[in-house]
Amino acid sequence: MNMRTLREAIQKSDNVVFFGGAGTSTESGIPDFRSARGIYRGATESTASADLSPEEILSASSLERHPQLFFQFYREHLIHREALPNRAHQVLARWEDRGIIRAVVTQNIDGLHQRAGSRCVHELHGSVWRNYCQGCGRRYTLDETLGIPGAIPRCAGCNAVVRPDVVLFGEMLDDSVVEAAIDAISNAEILIVAGSSLVVYPAAGFLDYYRGNHLVLINRDPTPFDRRAQWVFRRSIGEVLTELDSG
Ligand code: NAD
């Protein structure tokens, strides 16, 4: 099916859901994990001495056993304060304003959808902008948490480690966020899936809840779900969404 048919379907719809991954933010200068320029390829230097893979370092057990290494890697590779929303985030925010987008479900932790103006955003993996004390639960901003370079962040009240409100490898997703995401996807008329290698479960399993016949996949590399989609674009998300927004 062609671009024009899809553009018309989107412009007429009031129930488009966007399900995005790290590729949604690469055009903002934030590397993804698994593509050629992703964090997994570039991270070997800082992890080689520890002999741990990025997934091991970004795990709950590493936060507990190697907090120094965890925070060093986390700061270096996952914190991008200077990043701004790109044209993909902006198109989605505009579509929500126009009543086209019902929800954005994201695996990203960078908060760029909200910065672009999207309001209904289900963050499956949490956000780097929220942090809390593992001991007493006190909340901290990103600046308060990572303000002192090289330090393991500690609670001013109880001295326990302050951690990001991000789902680490080996941790469960938040039930209420999962429920809201499944509800949006299972009732969507059009589902646009973009910028995810779709190999991380349970996030990739969310696609199974879609019951419609307008599945759109935008991803530079092939994914295990390409054959299920009615539209597959192997190019830039910003470019494709801009084209779908025009005319
Ligand atoms: P991934 O790295 O496994 O896959 C990203 C996919 O996006 C790749 O297949 C790549 O081909 C594609 N891609 C990259 N840039 C693109 C572009 N501009 N246009 C079209 N396609 C593009 O990402 P994932 O499946 O989301 O899994 C990574 C996990 O790591 C996520 O769960 C996420 O929480 C986390 N992560 C988040 C960020 C962020 O918040 N920005 C960044 C890196 C990783």
Side-chain angles (χ1 to χ4, degrees):
M1 283 190 258
N2 68 27
M3 184 83 165
R4 198 166 131 221
T5 318
L6 177 59
R7 189 187 296 123
E8 284 170 7
I10 289 173
Q11 304 293 341
K12 271 198 293 197
S13 179
D14 63 356
N15 191 2
V16 177
V17 170
F18 179 85
F19 178 78
T24 312
S25 293
T26 55
E27 291 168 65
S28 295
I30 304 181
D32 61 16
F33 270 180
R34 294 177 184 79
S35 65
R37 276 185 255 155
I39 292 168
Y40 282 9
R41 309 264 167 110
T44 38
E45 243 175 58
S46 54
T47 65
S49 56
D51 214 16
L52 294 173
S53 69
E55 284 184 16
E56 285 167 326
I57 295 177
L58 292 171
S59 67
S61 71
S62 145
L63 172 61
E64 199 174 311
R65 287 157 52 196
H66 316 287
Q68 193 80 46
L69 180 67
F70 172 89
F71 280 106
Q72 183 195 333
F73 188 92
Y74 177 72
R75 260 173 215 277
E76 268 175 36
H77 298 287
L78 291 175
I79 304 299
H80 299 271
R81 289 168 205 267
E82 73 297 344
L84 294 171
N86 62 52
R87 53 194 175 154
H89 299 108
Q90 283 156 0
V91 168
L92 295 168
R94 248 193 330 269
W95 285 354
E96 187 176 340
D97 277 346
R98 285 167 48 196
I100 293 172
I101 283 268
R102 213 33 96 86
V104 169
V105 178
T106 183
Q107 300 177 72
N108 290 349
I109 55 177
D110 55 34
L112 287 182
H113 285 293
Q114 292 92 331
R115 264 190 95 173
S118 289
R119 293 175 303 275
C120 186
V121 183
H122 306 302
E123 294 176 310
L124 292 175
H125 296 162
S127 171
V128 300
W129 298 97
R130 296 188 300 269
N131 298 271
Y132 65 93
C133 168
Q134 296 196 110
C136 66
R138 186 164 155 178
R139 295 258 151 200
Y140 287 89
T141 64
L142 179 59
D143 283 341
E144 288 165 343
T145 307
L146 298 182
I148 306 171
I152 296 168
R154 293 204 171 267
C155 178
C158 74
N159 205 39
V161 172
V162 173
R163 60 160 287 174
D165 191 357
V166 158
V167 180
L168 302 175
F169 286 101
E171 291 184 325
M172 306 282 287
L173 307 193
D174 181 291
D175 282 345
S176 60
V177 181
V178 168
E179 232 172 77
I182 290 177
D183 184 57
I185 290 172
S186 56
N187 290 305
E189 182 190 2
I190 300 175
L191 180 64
I192 304 176
V193 181
S196 176
S197 54
L198 298 174
V199 296
V200 178
Y201 275 82
F206 281 61
L207 266 63
D208 292 334
Y209 289 94
Y210 177 60
R211 296 175 294 185
N213 56 3
H214 286 70
L215 178 61
V216 184
L217 256 163
I218 314 172
N219 207 65
R220 281 200 187 120
D221 294 310
T223 81
F225 288 83
D226 288 6
R227 270 187 301 163
R228 283 205 214 168
Q230 280 73 40
W231 286 268
V232 177
F233 300 95
R234 294 256 167 81
R235 46 195 187 98
S236 142
I237 301 163
E239 195 178 287
V240 174
L241 290 187
T242 303
E243 284 174 33
L244 289 171
D245 188 42
S246 64

